[in-house]
Amino acid sequence: MAMLDLPESLLHSLSSVLTQLQHVLPAPKQATDFSAIAFKWQQQQLVAIQQPKPMYLDDLIGIELQKAKIIQNTLQFLHGLPANDVLLTGSRGTGKSSIVRALLTEYAAQGLRLIEIERDDLSELPQIQQLIATRPEKFIVYCDDLAFNAEDENYRSLKSVLDGSLQSGASNFIIYATSNRRHLLPEFMHENMPLRKVDVPQYTELHPQEAIEEKISLSDRFGLWLSFYPMDQQLYLQIVEHYIVQANLPYNDTVRSASLQWSQARGQRSGRAAYQFSKHWIGSESLAQYTNQSESAK
């Protein structure tokens, strides 16, 4: 039977509709490329990150105690020994996320793998567990900047996976999370004040202490807590010097003064600010050398 000749305008409309559907519908699931060492959980599948940015433990200065504890825990995990889920909390830019990524660089050859997951996708943790259940590698499932608002229910999925369900405790799966706040759920002043009979709203929690325990219990599910603190000027300058010398550039009073101005403009002294200044200084010095060489060659 001969195909019907459709008007060109109709064909154009159908093509436009199909194009829009391609943007709306999720991409078809593909087999996970487990030859990669890092992954991102996106649209309910593990997307391989072929060349993750390398971070090095030796570059993380001033957090030796935290490094020692998380390295020991990670080595226990790699050797199939009991190990804890880890919560890294504290000031921004102090190395919480860098230390997790540096673990991957250090131990990828020993079978360590890293899976990044967004807070809003935590309800899908059981799917990740199922995908990697038979893999020989050891997977750190990593959630950066973890925190929940009062209405967010995703924390219940995380609690269940940490140690509240019969399926938790997989031998090749561990959770490392970073947060700027020690307690991952907000607590309110009224929760710590005695209730009075006068003007008590109809739907006020009758057992407020139980509600508080519910919020605190999430952090308690992490067996290892590591705290990171703001750094002083001396440590900040020490980190700057480390990166400048590593790039075979001189560290002098000019660099020191410029780095302090940089931290003042950023409003913080942190490892992140020191690293960002170092990139700026090394880049600008290298560009100046390149420009001078080009002009000399003319």
Side-chain angles (χ1 to χ4, degrees):
M1 184 172 62
M3 294 182 64
L4 295 175
D5 292 330
L6 297 176
E8 185 175 346
S9 59
L10 180 57
L11 289 173
H12 180 74
S13 299
L14 289 172
S15 175
S16 177
V17 170
L18 288 173
T19 301
Q20 294 177 17
L21 284 174
Q22 287 178 343
H23 292 293
V24 174
L25 294 175
K29 290 188 177 180
Q30 300 179 353
T32 303
D33 179 10
F34 282 108
S35 66
I37 63 172
F39 306 87
K40 179 80 173 179
W41 181 253
Q42 288 181 330
Q43 297 181 344
Q44 298 188 346
Q45 58 184 331
L46 288 175
V47 179
I49 303 173
Q50 296 296 344
Q51 294 181 325
K53 181 181 178 182
M55 301 290 295
Y56 300 97
L57 290 169
D58 289 343
D59 289 335
L60 304 179
I61 299 171
I63 51 173
E64 279 68 30
L65 180 60
Q66 295 90 331
K67 281 198 294 184
K69 289 184 176 181
I70 200 170
I71 287 172
Q72 178 180 332
N73 191 74
T74 304
L75 288 174
Q76 291 172 201
F77 174 58
L78 282 173
H79 287 87
L81 302 172
N84 279 306
D85 300 299
V86 182
L87 178 61
L88 304 92
T89 64
S91 304
R92 69 189 193 276
T94 49
K96 299 186 299 295
S97 59
S98 295
I99 202 171
V100 177
R101 292 186 168 96
L103 290 171
L104 177 66
T105 305
E106 185 76 16
Y107 299 113
Q110 297 184 33
L112 187 66
R113 300 294 182 261
L114 188 67
I115 299 173
E116 289 193 52
I117 185 172
E118 299 293 335
R119 184 203 66 178
D120 293 340
D121 295 330
L122 288 172
S123 61
E124 298 165 9
L125 277 171
Q127 295 176 240
I128 297 178
Q129 284 183 297
Q130 188 175 13
L131 274 173
I132 64 175
T134 60
R135 297 297 306 177
E137 302 89 354
K138 300 289 187 178
F139 293 86
I140 292 176
V141 177
Y142 165 59
C143 186
D144 195 20
D145 290 331
L146 180 64
F148 302 95
N149 57 44
E151 294 77 27
D152 199 331
E153 291 295 319
N154 277 326
Y155 79 93
R156 298 187 186 277
S157 301
L158 179 58
K159 282 179 63 176
S160 176
V161 171
L162 283 169
D163 75 359
S165 73
L166 294 176
Q167 294 180 345
S168 62
S171 61
N172 70 337
F173 175 99
I174 200 168
I175 296 176
Y176 285 8
T178 69
S179 179
N180 291 332
R181 46 193 301 177
R182 176 71 171 271
H183 291 134
L184 302 174
L185 284 158
E187 296 180 64
F188 303 100
M189 286 293 296
H190 70 80
E191 293 175 335
N192 291 301
M193 298 176 68
L195 286 175
R196 298 180 303 170
K197 264 190 167 181
V198 181
D199 298 329
V200 175
Q202 180 181 0
Y203 298 105
T204 296
E205 174 74 54
L206 288 177
H207 305 286
Q209 188 58 39
E210 293 182 2
I212 296 172
E213 290 293 331
E214 166 81 1
K215 295 182 175 184
I216 296 175
S217 67
L218 177 57
S219 297
D220 285 345
R221 300 282 172 112
F222 289 91
L224 180 60
W225 292 352
L226 296 178
S227 299
F228 293 71
Y229 304 100
M231 60 183 56
D232 57 22
Q233 180 172 296
Q234 181 180 353
L235 179 55
Y236 169 78
L237 292 173
Q238 185 182 346
I239 297 172
V240 171
E241 181 179 6
H242 169 80
Y243 285 115
I244 298 300
V245 172
Q246 192 178 67
N248 295 318
L249 291 175
Y251 178 78
N252 49 37
D253 288 342
T254 302
V255 180
R256 183 178 183 278
S257 177
S259 67
L260 291 176
Q261 291 177 6
W262 180 278
S263 68
Q264 290 171 359
R266 302 283 297 189
Q268 64 168 329
R269 288 192 298 264
S270 67
R272 179 183 295 144
Y275 176 64
Q276 290 170 341
F277 167 77
S278 301
K279 286 201 300 182
H280 161 74
W281 187 265
I282 294 167
S284 60
E285 290 295 300
S286 300
L287 179 61
Q289 291 178 9
Y290 174 79
T291 302
N292 292 335
Q293 291 172 0
S294 298
E295 291 178 352
S296 298
K298 291 181 181 178

